[in-house]
Amino acid sequence: MKVVFLDIDGVLNSRKYDRTRDWKKQDDIDETRLPLVAQIIAATGAEIVLSSTWRQHWDKDASKCDEDGAYINGLFAAHGLRIYDKTPYLGLFAARREEVQGWLDECGAEVERYVIIDDYRFDWGDMAERLVVTNPIFGDGLESEHVEKAVALLND
């Protein structure tokens, strides 16, 4: 199995997007980023594992998703995407690296390759070589160059 550990804020949205979005409705995710995620999945056959703080709203059992989790599921489904799983919550002060490692420790025997797509660039340790860092400040979050790198890491 190939896995994409996917962050949302800073990957599927950006400052540029935030300046144009309608803050009165639920459109936190920049839908123009989802076809890029779909390109990664189509090219690699990878599964999506949410590593974002948004994972608290999502559950494998769709009936257990809150409004935000249902929003994520609906938006992803509209682009032919589905979320396979989410990383565990290890506490307020846990590093995302620890949560990704926790998921790998639990399911790792099945994982042949993985990539982490996140806008946070620090404290990844030896996972940094599997990291694709987006730029939501000066860029659009996930962009074509990130897709290329993610596909290369997953298919190499």
Side-chain angles (χ1 to χ4, degrees):
M1 164 194 310
K2 296 176 185 177
V3 175
V4 174
F5 290 100
L6 185 65
D7 183 25
I8 290 181
D9 290 324
V11 174
L12 301 183
N13 57 34
S14 64
R15 271 200 189 155
K16 179 178 165 184
Y17 175 70
D18 283 346
R19 286 193 297 270
T20 62
R21 67 181 269 226
D22 182 353
W23 287 86
K24 294 178 185 152
K25 64 180 190 174
Q26 188 176 38
D27 65 350
D28 299 85
I29 295 174
D30 178 354
E31 239 182 294
T32 67
R33 304 298 95 199
L34 290 173
L36 297 171
V37 175
Q39 285 177 29
I40 296 168
I41 301 309
T44 64
E47 299 287 355
I48 298 170
V49 175
L50 275 184
S51 56
S52 170
T53 55
W54 280 71
R55 71 188 184 280
Q56 68 185 330
H57 303 287
W58 183 89
D59 193 274
K60 278 187 177 185
D61 178 349
S63 69
K64 293 181 181 177
C65 291
D66 67 14
E67 181 181 341
D68 290 336
Y71 164 70
I72 293 167
N73 278 340
L75 209 51
F76 275 53
H79 291 273
L81 299 166
R82 74 174 186 82
I83 298 167
Y84 175 78
D85 203 358
K86 63 183 177 180
T87 56
Y89 175 72
L90 299 179
L92 186 60
F93 299 106
R96 190 159 291 170
R97 169 186 46 80
E98 295 169 320
E99 295 167 337
V100 168
Q101 188 61 58
W103 191 92
L104 286 169
D105 289 345
E106 178 123 353
C107 305
E110 304 168 25
V111 178
E112 62 181 274
R113 294 193 188 283
Y114 70 90
V115 68
I116 302 161
I117 304 176
D118 205 303
D119 63 316
Y120 189 75
R121 61 187 72 240
F122 306 105
D123 196 29
W124 287 100
D126 60 350
M127 288 182 172
E129 64 190 26
R130 312 294 312 162
L131 179 65
V132 175
V133 180
T134 63
N135 187 339
I137 307 297
F138 298 108
D140 291 319
L142 186 65
E143 299 182 55
S144 295
E145 67 193 59
H146 305 119
V147 171
E148 292 172 18
K149 183 175 180 184
V151 169
L153 287 167
L154 288 166
N155 284 343
D156 186 19

